[in-house]
Amino acid sequence: MPHIHLDSDLPGIRGLMSDRPDTAAPLNALADLILRGPSPLTRGERELIASHVSERNATRFCADTHGAAAAAQLDGGAAVVEAVRDDLDTAPVTPLLRALLHIAAEVQQQAAPVSDEAVTAARAAGATDAHLHDTVLIAAAFCMYNRYVSGLATTLPTEPGYYEEAGRRITAHGYAAAV
């Protein structure tokens, strides 16, 4: 049960945003920009970073929503998302994406500079300044989104297929008009 009264029965961040459109607008605009705006990373790769951070933060709603959005946009679909969840080091992703997911994990772990080793590995795999910037920004933002969702004890969806539908909706329409 959520820690605050919500007028809607929408799960996760959707319920919070439905009740607070004043805060939903800038939060959705930020998500739309970092996950769908200009970047050297594909939309699917950025959704996978968001899902990976959310998984590490044990925020089921965000991990599964963004995992479904990643699956809808990545070659290999849900199998790739599951492989990253199971073991990043053996998952069928590019060396660059693997290195960036390791950077995202460092950002999730602590508010400190990313290790020189992680940056060196990412650069060796082809990361540019833009790759590093976008990865760190997505990881940091999803730590905030995860804490918002988890901190207020939002509910999880009960409908079968909810996350797959959310992934399709996000892929087609983005976040800016989510609420």
Side-chain angles (χ1 to χ4, degrees):
M1 177 157 184
H3 289 315
I4 62 174
H5 171 75
L6 299 174
D7 288 331
S8 79
D9 61 352
L10 294 170
I13 202 167
R14 294 193 71 212
L16 298 170
M17 289 184 168
S18 176
D19 268 27
R20 291 294 305 268
D22 58 326
T23 56
L27 290 173
N28 279 322
L30 176 61
D32 209 60
L33 177 63
I34 65 176
L35 297 176
R36 296 173 57 85
S39 176
L41 296 165
T42 69
R43 290 178 177 180
E45 290 168 336
R46 288 178 276 170
E47 291 286 357
L48 187 59
I49 292 168
S51 178
H52 184 60
V53 168
S54 300
E55 183 73 29
R56 291 178 55 86
N57 280 326
T59 306
R60 187 83 277 128
F61 180 84
C62 297
D64 289 350
T65 298
H66 295 284
Q73 299 176 82
L74 289 172
D75 289 338
V80 171
V81 175
E82 287 303 315
V84 168
R85 285 182 182 169
D86 292 342
D87 183 4
L88 172 57
D89 291 324
T90 62
V93 296
T94 65
L96 173 59
L97 185 54
R98 180 175 291 109
L100 295 174
L101 288 164
H102 279 294
I103 286 174
E106 284 193 22
V107 172
Q108 176 274 330
Q109 185 65 36
Q110 62 182 356
V114 172
S115 70
D116 292 340
E117 295 80 12
V119 171
T120 298
R123 292 249 190 236
T128 65
D129 286 352
H131 286 102
L132 297 172
H133 173 276
D134 293 0
T135 298
V136 170
L137 180 56
I138 293 164
F142 273 84
C143 285
M144 176 198 60
Y145 289 117
N146 296 161
R147 283 155 179 77
Y148 183 40
V149 169
S150 294
L152 289 172
T154 62
T155 60
L156 293 174
T158 56
E159 306 84 26
Y162 176 91
Y163 293 113
E164 291 78 12
E165 177 55 35
R168 287 189 292 274
R169 183 180 64 250
I170 289 165
T171 300
H173 304 290
Y175 299 91
V179 174

